Amino acid sequence: MSINPHLDVVTAFVSELAQLGVKHVCISPGSRSTPLTISFARHGECKTWTLLDERSAAFFALGLARSSGEPVVLVCTSGTAAANYLPAVVEARYSRVPLIVLTADRPTELRNVGTNQTIEQVGLYGAHVKWSIEMPTPDGAKELLAHARSTAARSVAIALSTPKGPVHINWPFREPLLPPYEVQDEVNTQLPKGLHIESGQRQLTASRLEYLAKMLTSIENGLFVVGPQFQQELAAPLLEVATRLQFPVLADPLSQMRAVSEEVDLTCVVDRYDTLLRHSDLMQGEIWDKLKPDVVIRLGQAPTSKVLGAYLSKLDDVRQIVVDESDEWRDPLFRASELWLTDPVILFSELKELLPQRETSLFAQHWLSLNDSIEKRQVFEVEHIEEQYVGEDLPHLFEGRIFTELARVLPLDARLFVGNSMPVRDVDSFFPKMHKSLFMLANRGASGIDGIVSSALGACAGTSRKTVLVIGDVSFYHDLNGLLIAKQYQLDLTIILVHNDGGGIFSFLPQATQEDVFPYFETPHGLEFQSVIEMYGGSYHQVHTWSDFEVKMNAAMENHGLQVLELRTVRALNVEMHRKIFSACRDVLL
Amino acid sequence: MSINPHLDVVTAFVSELAQLGVKHVCISPGSRSTPLTISFARHGECKTWTLLDERSAAFFALGLARSSGEPVVLVCTSGTAAANYLPAVVEARYSRVPLIVLTADRPTELRNVGTNQTIEQVGLYGAHVKWSIEMPTPDGAKELLAHARSTAARSVAIALSTPKGPVHINWPFREPLLPPYEVQDEVNTQLPKGLHIESGQRQLTASRLEYLAKMLTSIENGLFVVGPQFQQELAAPLLEVATRLQFPVLADPLSQMRAVSEEVDLTCVVDRYDTLLRHSDLMQGEIWDKLKPDVVIRLGQAPTSKVLGAYLSKLDDVRQIVVDESDEWRDPLFRASELWLTDPVILFSELKELLPQRETSLFAQHWLSLNDSIEKRQVFEVEHIEEQYVGEDLPHLFEGRIFTELARVLPLDARLFVGNSMPVRDVDSFFPKMHKSLFMLANRGASGIDGIVSSALGACAGTSRKTVLVIGDVSFYHDLNGLLIAKQYQLDLTIILVHNDGGGIFSFLPQATQEDVFPYFETPHGLEFQSVIEMYGGSYHQVHTWSDFEVKMNAAMENHGLQVLELRTVRALNVEMHRKIFSACRDVLL
């Protein structure tokens, strides 16, 4: 043992994390966390990221973990530092992202007695972590080394087991935090290390699979609805099953089933349901009958589209199957008649081997041809809507068009991160299905507008792939602090900033009809972001036309560092343009 | 009842808050909170503040509540918005600040079933709120109006009862959130309203007071130690008791006993203990004996000064009395031999009537003459330390001198908010006792560097008094978002920004000796803040000399809006200057 009891224990913990494949640790500076910080800096094999604002740090870790699927470690000092992690921990819990949160603390005897910078950290994240543990205060007992290694392995195992999620380890350290020390070799040699973990997945037996395959084959008119989910490998087997069964797939943009590689058959994918289902008053009689499924199979989180949710609610006499790897009960509409609790990737990979190819399906044809008609009309409207506003002072760019343009200019394998509120709704309405593999990311666990910039930077940090974030001005403002990470680590993120000076989404909601109180919702702030973007070392470009957008996007994809392309739009006109486009598409249904 | 069941209930709640004297509500925009927002906007008598970033909003409310002593209301939508409140709620809990946190939520049936933007909000703040309640979902039942009124009154009563603190009310609202409605008059007329609350304070009986007065009179060498506390009215009675007993008072700058009005006798106040007690190696033999008290009487939070804490720990054979209004056990040193659990303002107001005036005390003379000698020497050193650095490239301003300068230039009744980390330590070491009433504020509950800008803006918002914040660059960066409030509401805050490009405090700690890992602690960020200050409508001034400082401070005290005076300093030299000054003062003890 070394002179310092902390460091041996912490080093045992840190080296075990590294041996189990943890690659990244995000550290916020602080004194109480000194043993952790030093251990990661000196003895770990993880890449260290130093981040000053713990709220942004946690969202950065979330972005990194979401895009890699691997657990990312957070380290902070005691007190409100740990409290600042909560928003990202909540998001991680509901969107199933593995985080290992390490909070330094004062030892037990200094709690609840008025000690400075000491809060109730045990249980701080409540139900929002999958597991939490308070470590014993290192006191030199050798058994604590073995316990630390075991706990490190356990934290990785739990963060990664189904459903993935955050875990919290509270580390009490008694002073002195930093005497001279030397970690003894025995710490690294005399203990078992790199605990090997084989972790099974939830699966159905062969006989149940055969039963389900037969059952699916017997269904005439089936419909898949896939909400946000971040396993890119689900697209191929699920779409193959859909193709064999001739079931249309209503694919949320975050389902990873709109922009896929050449090998994946996209024929069954319906990407315009959000426009189609808006016209629910027309959804009766013949159209309704032709589109009505016998069975709905739902996967992923609740779909982004509100009208799709309303449509599913209306199907209350239809058999609805929810497929999920966990028993967290993803049935916000209470319409499920069957739950298949099993790993979806394995399920569809195995099912596709058991299913014959169905010849044709009138039901699928109805969905797909209507989708096709709406797409054509919508594309036309999007391209021409701005012409109605020519001659006015500003170049009135239509916000939704960002996504039809991005679909063209994004390079292969790019990552597209979309902010909550309007961007995620627009990507849903306007991003076309296409053969170009893209990874589509968003924070849809709790759907906050906080931490988006940092989350996108985290997604960007773990990869050499081009990463683009589309975000509104309120959400951008909320996480301006995250931009420091881009400056410090020269991260290559391109941000499309949709600036309409306020919470644009509220212009679409009934609150807009209450004139006297509407300022409490739309909240114009009058901020001009160029200077702050430049403070963080970014380059700022205003975009005035779509050809301008293409030129600047192409340049951004070539350049390095933080690039911000700002589109100025007008809230009220944006609502009007959306309504006109959706309304024009209604003609297709008449 | 109106058509909308939410609004009647919420209006009953809101009007009761107003009738019980709640004056401010801080609202962050959101959809689920619509009934609350509209009710405060239309039917409340509270001043509304709209704040986009919930973390900053909560700290703003905290600052407003801390400086006024009155409860301030927070309103946010569901999801991570509520999680962003946690850091300020934690600070409020430990520094006893009354907050009423209202979080909108989805109704019970939509929780834990995968609904969008729905997290576990019941119990979200854990042990960090004094009380929490989940409201029933408004359903039109008339009894809910009476319940809402009663709950509003209860939340005010609990937030204000000893010890003051935050309460949490979770409000589930079922859609539609906003049908047309009209609040019926009966809501405001047919219910009891403005529940009158008489709230007693913890007090000792007359006979116990007499006993304590006699006991105190019998003590020869008593010493008061007053840590941070925010009741300005404690200074007069406590210092009168100290004067009668001839007990020196070691007064933390945040004790509100350093800068007081003319009528208060400051003779007993010791303001240089932090410099004096640093030389603990000299604190033996004669000096130690002369300064050693028979009894220590402690009040307030743990003192800012680390060396004062160490000194109190060393006094483990001395009777130590802790006076506190609550049984939250403010004894981080475990040296208390007596607890007086009673309201300190009442206690000392009554005790002073019972105590005779002691003639002289050698013990007090020792403390006060040593304090006096150190003060003289320190003032001299502070004024001359920079001369040693003349001729170097930069004008090396000594950070500690900010407080000797501020002591002169701050106007009567100003509020001085100090950031954590170095500013609070420097105000402790260098701010002289004086006859000029000032309100000294800081976030010392959890002592975070987060939310300081917003807290100071909150302190400024509730008053026409001049408010000055002294803050380091890391803490300033952490809460840049708070500056939006200054822009939106034209708040008159002057910020002294001490910019040494990193976490200056770590240069004082042993971590600075570990060269290879020190970058993880000092974290230089290279940010130049002028542009972002200007983005938020502030005016920015660099200060190069102390005469320059005085001119610009005087101008700032005349001007309106956000004023930032930036002092650039060098971390390593700042440490050196501190050490030289403390070391020079050592001579006084030899």
Side-chain angles (χ1 to χ4, degrees):
Chain A
M1 302 295 285
S2 66
I3 309 164
N4 182 324
H6 303 317
L7 206 70
D8 283 345
V9 172
V10 171
T11 300
F13 184 89
V14 165
S15 71
E16 182 73 3
L17 287 182
Q19 289 177 58
L20 282 165
V22 172
K23 295 190 187 71
H24 298 276
V25 53
C26 305
I27 302 175
S28 294
S31 179
R32 188 60 51 170
S33 47
T34 294
L36 287 161
T37 301
I38 289 189
S39 192
F40 275 108
R42 283 200 185 142
H43 308 286
E45 291 146 50
C46 308
K47 169 151 180 59
T48 57
W49 301 86
T50 302
L51 303 161
L52 289 181
D53 179 338
E54 295 83 8
R55 181 173 69 177
S56 296
F59 276 108
F60 179 82
L62 173 89
L64 202 43
R66 188 198 294 284
S67 57
S68 67
E70 291 170 4
V72 174
V73 174
L74 279 162
V75 172
C76 73
T77 189
S78 66
T80 52
N84 277 282
Y85 283 166
L86 182 62
V89 167
V90 167
E91 172 61 28
R93 183 74 179 103
Y94 293 105
S95 55
R96 304 183 179 174
V97 174
L99 291 180
I100 298 174
V101 181
L102 309 181
T103 55
D105 200 352
R106 279 170 174 67
T108 320
E109 68 272 18
L110 292 184
R111 299 181 193 161
N112 285 307
V113 290
T115 312
N116 185 41
Q117 212 179 324
T118 309
I119 73 168
E120 188 60 54
Q121 292 181 194
V122 175
L124 186 65
Y125 307 118
H128 296 112
V129 285
K130 287 181 66 184
W131 183 60
S132 65
I133 183 174
E134 156 107 317
M135 296 299 278
T137 307
D139 63 358
K142 189 156 181 187
E143 195 58 15
L144 296 193
L145 298 179
H147 173 253
R149 281 199 184 277
S150 174
T151 305
R154 187 169 179 182
S155 69
V156 173
I158 296 178
L160 283 177
S161 70
T162 302
K164 292 180 182 177
V167 301
H168 174 208
I169 300 173
N170 195 51
W171 278 95
F173 296 120
R174 201 172 279 132
E175 294 200 13
L177 301 171
L178 192 112
Y181 50 60
E182 194 70 47
V183 174
Q184 301 294 310
D185 276 348
E186 62 176 312
V187 175
N188 288 316
T189 55
Q190 295 192 358
L191 283 163
K193 55 181 150 183
L195 175 63
H196 180 75
I197 302 169
E198 295 283 348
S199 189
Q201 302 301 320
R202 207 161 185 174
Q203 296 179 59
L204 300 173
T205 58
S207 64
R208 295 311 297 163
L209 276 172
E210 270 169 43
Y211 165 79
L212 292 181
K214 272 191 204 131
M215 189 270 279
L216 288 171
T217 312
S218 74
I219 296 168
E220 279 291 310
N221 305 327
L223 186 69
F224 280 105
V225 175
V226 191
Q229 68 86 31
F230 301 96
Q231 289 191 282
Q232 286 187 284
E233 61 272 33
L234 179 58
L238 188 137
L239 291 178
E240 187 169 340
V241 164
T243 304
R244 283 176 180 265
L245 292 166
Q246 290 287 297
F247 288 2
V249 180
L250 277 48
D252 192 282
L254 301 167
S255 69
Q256 318 307 332
M257 292 182 200
R258 280 213 199 162
V260 297
S261 65
E262 296 283 350
E263 307 86 67
V264 179
D265 188 345
L266 275 171
T267 318
C268 287
V269 170
V270 173
D271 58 355
R272 306 290 151 159
Y273 53 82
D274 182 67
T275 302
L276 169 60
L277 299 170
R278 271 167 202 271
H279 308 287
S280 57
D281 58 314
L282 299 181
M283 286 288 148
Q284 42 200 346
E286 201 185 350
I287 298 184
W288 170 260
D289 292 341
K290 282 183 176 174
L291 294 180
K292 192 176 179 189
D294 302 327
V295 174
V296 173
I297 306 172
R298 285 155 41 193
L299 292 99
Q301 294 177 249
T304 305
S305 167
K306 274 208 158 191
V307 293
L308 175 52
Y311 174 72
L312 292 171
S313 279
K314 260 177 70 182
L315 297 175
D316 50 8
D317 57 345
V318 168
R319 187 168 157 199
Q320 296 200 24
I321 300 165
V322 171
V323 183
D324 191 16
E325 61 194 353
S326 107
D327 44 9
E328 287 186 331
W329 220 259
R330 282 183 164 169
D331 184 30
L333 307 169
F334 317 123
R335 294 293 182 274
S337 42
E338 290 179 42
L339 283 183
W340 297 358
L341 299 177
T342 190
D343 183 277
V345 176
I346 299 172
L347 174 71
F348 290 100
S349 300
E350 297 189 332
L351 274 179
K352 71 179 161 62
E353 308 299 333
L354 303 175
L355 296 170
Q357 177 65 50
R358 180 169 289 163
E359 288 300 304
T360 54
S361 155
L362 268 179
F363 174 71
Q365 279 170 24
H366 287 311
W367 269 100
L368 296 168
S369 70
L370 211 47
N371 190 63
D372 199 45
S373 309
I374 284 181
E375 190 210 336
K376 286 195 178 65
R377 183 59 183 262
Q378 201 197 59
V379 166
F380 176 86
E381 294 297 330
V382 168
E383 278 177 12
H384 295 277
I385 188 74
E386 293 159 6
E387 291 166 11
Q388 301 182 27
Y389 301 90
V390 169
E392 301 201 22
D393 293 352
L394 288 165
H396 291 307
L397 299 181
F398 171 57
E399 295 181 9
R401 183 157 171 179
I402 291 166
F403 295 100
T404 61
E405 297 292 325
L406 279 180
R408 289 195 294 112
V409 302
L410 283 177
L412 193 66
D413 289 328
R415 294 177 170 189
L416 176 60
F417 205 111
V418 288
N420 281 318
S421 214
M422 282 314 293
V424 74
R425 285 173 173 75
D426 278 341
V427 76
D428 193 7
S429 303
F430 301 106
F431 199 98
K433 62 178 182 177
M434 60 195 298
H435 273 125
K436 182 199 282 182
S437 176
L438 298 174
F439 196 4
M440 312 275 257
L441 296 157
N443 285 351
R444 295 301 288 175
S447 302
I449 59 159
D450 49 344
I452 302 292
V453 171
S454 299
S455 302
L457 284 161
C460 162
T463 179
S464 59
R465 295 179 183 179
K466 297 297 173 187
T467 307
V468 176
L469 165 66
V470 182
I471 188 169
D473 52 285
V474 173
S475 188
F476 185 66
Y477 155 79
H478 212 294
D479 193 21
L480 278 177
N481 272 7
L483 294 177
L484 179 57
I485 309 162
K487 174 176 186 281
Q488 290 183 304
Y489 295 95
Q490 302 291 309
L491 297 176
D492 297 336
L493 179 68
T494 298
I495 298 180
I496 317 285
L497 171 58
V498 188
H499 192 335
N500 56 28
D501 193 20
I505 195 169
F506 290 107
S507 303
F508 289 84
L509 300 181
Q511 284 85 340
T513 63
Q514 310 284 314
E515 277 178 36
D516 63 327
V517 296
F518 192 48
Y520 287 89
F521 295 94
E522 57 174 355
T523 55
H525 48 72
L527 295 177
E528 297 287 342
F529 294 111
Q530 176 167 4
S531 62
V532 70
I533 290 162
E534 289 170 356
M535 180 179 82
Y536 289 117
S539 62
Y540 166 90
H541 314 273
Q542 273 214 12
V543 169
H544 299 288
T545 64
W546 294 112
S547 57
D548 195 20
F549 180 78
E550 182 167 350
V551 170
K552 285 173 177 159
M553 264 302 294
N554 286 333
M557 293 297 92
E558 295 301 316
N559 294 334
H560 288 287
L562 175 68
Q563 320 270 327
V564 181
L565 276 55
E566 184 181 79
L567 280 72
R568 303 301 280 256
T569 63
V570 178
R571 283 193 302 275
L573 288 185
N574 184 46
V575 176
E576 196 178 295
M577 288 193 251
H578 275 85
R579 291 199 174 132
K580 281 183 179 173
I581 291 168
F582 293 133
S583 165
C585 294
R586 182 182 172 93
D587 296 349
V588 175
L589 300 171
L590 294 173
Chain B
M1 302 292 287
S2 66
I3 309 164
N4 183 325
H6 304 317
L7 206 70
D8 284 343
V9 172
V10 171
T11 300
F13 185 89
V14 164
S15 72
E16 181 73 4
L17 287 181
Q19 289 179 59
L20 282 165
V22 172
K23 295 189 187 71
H24 298 276
V25 54
C26 305
I27 301 175
S28 294
S31 178
R32 188 61 50 170
S33 47
T34 294
L36 287 161
T37 302
I38 290 189
S39 191
F40 275 108
R42 283 201 186 142
H43 308 287
E45 292 146 50
C46 308
K47 169 152 179 60
T48 56
W49 303 85
T50 303
L51 304 161
L52 289 182
D53 179 339
E54 296 84 7
R55 180 173 71 177
S56 296
F59 276 108
F60 179 82
L62 173 90
L64 201 43
R66 187 197 294 286
S67 58
S68 68
E70 291 169 4
V72 174
V73 174
L74 279 161
V75 172
C76 72
T77 189
S78 66
T80 52
N84 277 281
Y85 283 165
L86 182 62
V89 167
V90 167
E91 172 62 27
R93 183 73 179 102
Y94 292 106
S95 56
R96 304 183 178 173
V97 175
L99 292 180
I100 298 174
V101 180
L102 310 182
T103 55
D105 200 351
R106 278 170 175 68
T108 321
E109 68 273 17
L110 291 184
R111 300 181 193 161
N112 285 307
V113 290
T115 313
N116 186 41
Q117 213 179 324
T118 309
I119 73 169
E120 187 59 53
Q121 292 181 193
V122 175
L124 187 65
Y125 307 118
H128 296 113
V129 285
K130 288 181 65 185
W131 183 62
S132 64
I133 184 174
E134 156 106 315
M135 296 299 278
T137 307
D139 63 358
K142 188 155 182 186
E143 195 59 14
L144 296 192
L145 298 178
H147 173 253
R149 282 199 184 278
S150 174
T151 306
R154 188 169 178 183
S155 68
V156 172
I158 296 178
L160 282 177
S161 70
T162 302
K164 292 179 182 176
V167 300
H168 175 209
I169 300 173
N170 195 52
W171 278 95
F173 296 120
R174 200 172 281 131
E175 294 200 15
L177 301 170
L178 193 112
Y181 49 61
E182 196 67 48
V183 174
Q184 301 295 311
D185 276 350
E186 62 176 313
V187 175
N188 287 316
T189 55
Q190 295 192 359
L191 283 162
K193 55 184 150 183
L195 175 64
H196 179 76
I197 302 169
E198 294 283 348
S199 188
Q201 302 302 319
R202 209 163 183 172
Q203 296 179 59
L204 300 173
T205 59
S207 64
R208 294 312 297 165
L209 276 172
E210 270 170 42
Y211 165 80
L212 292 180
K214 269 188 204 133
M215 189 271 279
L216 288 170
T217 312
S218 74
I219 296 168
E220 278 292 309
N221 305 326
L223 186 68
F224 280 104
V225 175
V226 191
Q229 66 88 31
F230 301 96
Q231 288 191 282
Q232 286 188 286
E233 61 272 34
L234 179 59
L238 187 140
L239 292 176
E240 187 169 341
V241 165
T243 305
R244 282 177 182 266
L245 292 167
Q246 290 288 294
F247 288 1
V249 180
L250 277 50
D252 191 281
L254 301 167
S255 69
Q256 319 307 333
M257 292 182 200
R258 281 213 197 161
V260 297
S261 65
E262 296 282 352
E263 307 86 68
V264 179
D265 189 344
L266 276 171
T267 318
C268 285
V269 170
V270 173
D271 58 354
R272 306 290 152 159
Y273 52 83
D274 182 67
T275 303
L276 169 59
L277 299 170
R278 271 168 202 271
H279 307 287
S280 57
D281 57 314
L282 298 180
M283 284 287 151
Q284 43 198 343
E286 202 186 351
I287 298 184
W288 170 260
D289 291 340
K290 283 183 174 173
L291 294 180
K292 191 177 179 188
D294 302 327
V295 174
V296 174
I297 305 172
R298 284 154 42 193
L299 293 99
Q301 294 176 252
T304 305
S305 168
K306 274 208 158 192
V307 294
L308 175 53
Y311 174 73
L312 293 172
S313 279
K314 259 176 71 183
L315 297 177
D316 49 10
D317 56 345
V318 168
R319 186 170 157 198
Q320 296 200 23
I321 300 165
V322 171
V323 183
D324 191 15
E325 61 194 353
S326 109
D327 43 11
E328 286 187 330
W329 220 260
R330 281 184 164 168
D331 184 31
L333 307 168
F334 317 123
R335 295 293 183 275
S337 42
E338 290 179 42
L339 283 184
W340 296 358
L341 298 179
T342 189
D343 184 276
V345 175
I346 299 173
L347 174 72
F348 290 102
S349 301
E350 297 189 334
L351 274 179
K352 72 179 162 58
E353 308 297 333
L354 303 174
L355 296 169
Q357 177 65 51
R358 180 169 288 162
E359 287 300 306
T360 55
S361 156
L362 268 179
F363 174 72
Q365 278 170 27
H366 287 312
W367 269 100
L368 295 168
S369 70
L370 212 47
N371 189 62
D372 199 45
S373 308
I374 284 180
E375 190 211 336
K376 286 196 176 65
R377 184 58 184 263
Q378 202 198 58
V379 167
F380 177 85
E381 294 297 330
V382 167
E383 277 177 13
H384 294 278
I385 188 74
E386 293 160 5
E387 292 167 10
Q388 300 182 27
Y389 301 88
V390 169
E392 301 200 21
D393 292 352
L394 289 164
H396 291 307
L397 298 182
F398 170 58
E399 293 181 10
R401 184 158 170 178
I402 291 166
F403 295 100
T404 61
E405 296 293 325
L406 279 180
R408 288 195 294 112
V409 301
L410 283 178
L412 193 65
D413 290 327
R415 294 177 170 190
L416 177 59
F417 206 111
V418 288
N420 282 317
S421 217
M422 283 313 294
V424 74
R425 286 171 174 76
D426 278 342
V427 76
D428 194 7
S429 303
F430 301 107
F431 199 99
K433 62 178 181 176
M434 61 195 296
H435 272 124
K436 182 199 280 183
S437 177
L438 298 175
F439 197 4
M440 311 276 256
L441 296 158
N443 285 352
R444 294 302 289 175
S447 302
I449 59 160
D450 49 345
I452 303 293
V453 171
S454 300
S455 301
L457 284 161
C460 162
T463 179
S464 60
R465 295 179 183 179
K466 297 295 174 189
T467 306
V468 175
L469 165 66
V470 183
I471 189 169
D473 52 284
V474 173
S475 187
F476 184 66
Y477 155 78
H478 212 295
D479 193 21
L480 279 177
N481 272 7
L483 294 178
L484 179 57
I485 308 162
K487 173 177 186 282
Q488 290 183 303
Y489 294 96
Q490 302 292 310
L491 297 175
D492 296 335
L493 179 68
T494 298
I495 298 180
I496 317 287
L497 171 59
V498 188
H499 191 335
N500 55 28
D501 193 19
I505 195 169
F506 290 108
S507 303
F508 289 85
L509 300 181
Q511 283 85 337
T513 63
Q514 310 284 312
E515 277 178 36
D516 63 329
V517 295
F518 192 48
Y520 287 90
F521 296 95
E522 59 174 355
T523 57
H525 49 72
L527 295 178
E528 298 286 344
F529 294 111
Q530 177 168 3
S531 62
V532 70
I533 290 162
E534 289 169 355
M535 179 178 80
Y536 290 116
S539 62
Y540 167 89
H541 314 272
Q542 272 214 12
V543 169
H544 299 287
T545 64
W546 294 112
S547 57
D548 194 19
F549 180 79
E550 182 166 350
V551 170
K552 285 173 177 159
M553 264 302 295
N554 286 334
M557 294 297 92
E558 296 300 317
N559 293 335
H560 288 287
L562 174 68
Q563 319 271 327
V564 181
L565 276 56
E566 183 182 80
L567 282 72
R568 304 300 280 255
T569 63
V570 178
R571 283 194 302 276
L573 288 183
N574 184 46
V575 176
E576 196 178 294
M577 287 194 251
H578 275 84
R579 291 201 173 129
K580 281 183 178 171
I581 290 168
F582 292 134
S583 166
C585 294
R586 183 183 172 92
D587 296 350
V588 174
L589 299 172
L590 294 172

